[in-house]
Amino acid sequence: MAGIVSTSKQGKRVVVIGGGVAGSLAAKLLQDDADVTLIDPKEYFEITWASLRSMVEPSFAERTVINHKNYFKKGRVVTSPAINITETDVTTKDGAVIGYDYLVIATGHNDLLPKTRQEKLSQYQTEYEKIVSSQSVLIVGGGPSGVELAAEIAVDFPEKKVTLVHKGPRLLEFVGEKAADKAFDWLESKKVEVILNQSVDLSSASEGNKTYRTSGGETIHADCHFLCVGKPLSSQWLSGTVLKDSLDGKGRVMVDEHLRVKDRKNVFAIGDITNIPEMKQGYIAESHANVAVKNIKVMMSGGKRKRLSTYKPGPEIAIVSLGRKDSVAQFPFVTVVGCLPGLIKSKDLFVGKTRKARGLSPKLVQG
């Protein structure tokens, strides 16, 4: 594939790598002012924090899996992973070479996802059928996705035996102990068996035999299992590019207060991939996108009258939904469990708000 060049907006070519929460919003907000190319291995953006609800209610995914072209109508989508960055271009796996004046890196975490929206919706249908046809379910991993999935199954299918195994000493290690304890108590009240400080050998159960062994010598019977463990950052590929010196020891991209990559004037990084010491959450990734977009617009206009915006981490709020009505919420000075925080998140999981931010109808189903 030859290089993709556009002369319509000279000096205003923006390439966004990654179509997750941060990248999708940045591309959407820049499309009116710049010549934007969004590079992503998949054709859609997914509201990831709503994904566990889609496993027990597949039709929910109709609103949470959104083709890039639905909110990003004026730009170009290249459906292929980025594999190299030079001072002037980005190269993708399928051979496209895309020139940039400004670059936004928003690749988040490594995850093997289906390429098309339809394949993703089918995947949820398959997972739902797996849950429905099982009497007992094993969930490995006690972070937010493991806890939320256990809660969704416990609420929608109370007759099923749910076991959650976590290798750490407590659930939800990214929040405080109080919030973790409240989530533990809520799960136990819904008859979910929680086993801490142990791991599971998933290969210990053969096809016919549904018994899994834990590192503590316990056996767990389960008709199916779900692995809900953290995914590594998608930054390893940058070590072979001109940005190789921008990674810290943990593989995070070092950024300044304007979210520009260390020692770079026209390259930004946003979302989970940055080295900003804060919780990695969707609403924070969206804040990053807003700041980076403002700064790119200032720079494109010559930046004469305006100073660049600074990103300041705000008060940290974590809300882990527990089924359809409850959740545990950690605010800066208080931790609450039950209906009140549940109303904030559990009912719609912020799906309407997130669709609206991308110019879409909160409720309408679109392909």
Side-chain angles (χ1 to χ4, degrees):
M1 217 166 140
I4 296 173
V5 183
S6 168
T7 51
S8 61
K9 292 178 174 161
Q10 212 52 54
K12 295 186 174 181
R13 297 169 306 158
V14 180
V15 172
V16 179
I17 306 176
V21 177
S24 67
L25 188 58
K28 190 253 177 224
L29 295 174
L30 283 163
Q31 64 182 339
D32 289 329
D33 301 275
D35 176 5
V36 187
T37 302
L38 175 63
I39 299 175
D40 194 37
K42 53 188 181 18
E43 295 173 359
Y44 56 88
F45 153 65
E46 176 169 20
I47 303 173
T48 42
W49 55 85
S51 61
L52 292 316
R53 175 72 46 85
S54 299
M55 288 170 69
V56 296
E57 184 190 337
S59 60
F60 197 75
E62 295 281 352
R63 285 167 60 234
T64 65
V65 182
I66 301 156
N67 275 329
H68 292 314
K69 278 291 173 201
N70 272 6
Y71 65 87
F72 181 56
K73 293 184 164 72
K74 295 180 184 172
R76 185 187 306 109
V77 179
V78 176
T79 311
S80 179
I83 56 166
N84 194 27
I85 298 169
T86 68
E87 301 287 350
T88 54
D89 305 283
V90 179
T91 308
T92 66
K93 196 175 180 182
D94 67 6
V97 180
I98 302 138
Y100 68 86
D101 300 303
Y102 300 94
L103 179 62
V104 180
I105 299 166
T107 44
H109 288 85
N110 267 334
D111 209 351
L112 285 171
L113 294 163
K115 187 172 178 174
T116 70
R117 176 177 186 267
Q118 199 43 59
E119 286 171 313
K120 185 66 191 170
L121 296 180
S122 302
Q123 190 180 61
Y124 282 127
Q125 187 62 37
T126 304
E127 288 175 334
Y128 168 74
E129 283 161 12
K130 190 164 115 176
I131 294 167
V132 168
S133 63
S134 300
Q135 291 302 305
S136 48
V137 180
L138 166 64
I139 294 168
V140 180
S145 54
V147 168
E148 291 192 349
L149 179 58
E152 293 286 354
I153 297 172
V155 166
D156 277 24
F157 302 101
E159 73 288 355
K160 297 189 189 301
K161 166 75 182 141
V162 180
T163 307
L164 188 154
V165 180
H166 182 56
K167 67 176 191 296
R170 66 181 180 90
L171 299 173
L172 303 174
E173 281 148 332
F174 80 111
V175 296
E177 236 168 288
K178 268 189 187 157
D181 289 347
K182 286 183 163 129
F184 182 95
D185 293 344
W186 187 95
L187 288 172
E188 294 239 301
S189 77
K190 294 287 183 281
K191 309 282 186 288
V192 174
E193 185 182 355
V194 181
I195 300 171
L196 298 171
N197 294 309
Q198 293 190 44
S199 56
V200 179
D201 177 7
L202 290 173
S203 62
S204 61
S206 57
E207 267 313 302
N209 167 24
K210 306 281 180 67
T211 304
Y212 298 83
R213 271 197 314 277
T214 73
S215 55
E218 292 187 46
T219 55
I220 298 162
H221 176 86
D223 295 328
C224 71
H225 76 265
F226 292 97
L227 189 58
C228 296
V229 295
K231 308 279 191 303
L233 284 176
S234 180
S235 62
Q236 191 55 52
W237 69 283
L238 291 169
S239 57
T241 74
V242 291
L243 299 179
K244 59 180 181 290
D245 297 329
S246 309
L247 299 174
D248 71 6
K250 291 185 175 166
R252 296 171 304 196
V253 180
M254 296 183 276
V255 293
D256 66 13
E257 70 273 25
H258 307 304
L259 301 181
R260 289 188 296 194
V261 173
K262 177 179 168 273
D263 302 328
R264 299 271 159 185
K265 288 275 178 280
N266 64 333
V267 182
F268 292 77
I270 56 177
D272 290 358
I273 203 165
T274 61
N275 70 328
I276 299 166
E278 61 187 351
M279 276 184 196
K280 303 301 180 188
Q281 299 224 73
Y283 77 94
I284 289 173
E286 290 191 332
S287 299
H288 290 190
N290 281 310
V291 170
V293 164
K294 271 186 200 161
N295 288 338
I296 290 170
K297 286 181 179 178
V298 167
M299 290 169 77
M300 285 191 306
S301 68
K304 305 232 176 3
R305 287 194 300 275
K306 276 186 160 178
R307 297 200 3 234
L308 292 182
S309 298
T310 299
Y311 174 74
K312 294 185 186 74
E316 297 199 329
I317 296 166
I319 303 178
V320 176
S321 70
L322 300 170
R324 291 174 184 272
K325 292 198 181 80
D326 295 336
S327 68
V328 59
Q330 177 179 290
F331 300 106
F333 302 107
V334 65
T335 300
V336 277
V337 69
C339 263
L340 170 72
L343 287 175
I344 301 171
K345 180 178 180 189
S346 299
K347 203 165 166 224
D348 189 55
L349 299 173
F350 300 129
V351 170
K353 185 171 179 281
T354 310
R355 286 177 62 90
K356 219 169 159 183
R358 283 157 189 78
L360 300 169
S361 152
K363 294 207 161 34
L364 196 68
V365 170
Q366 291 171 316

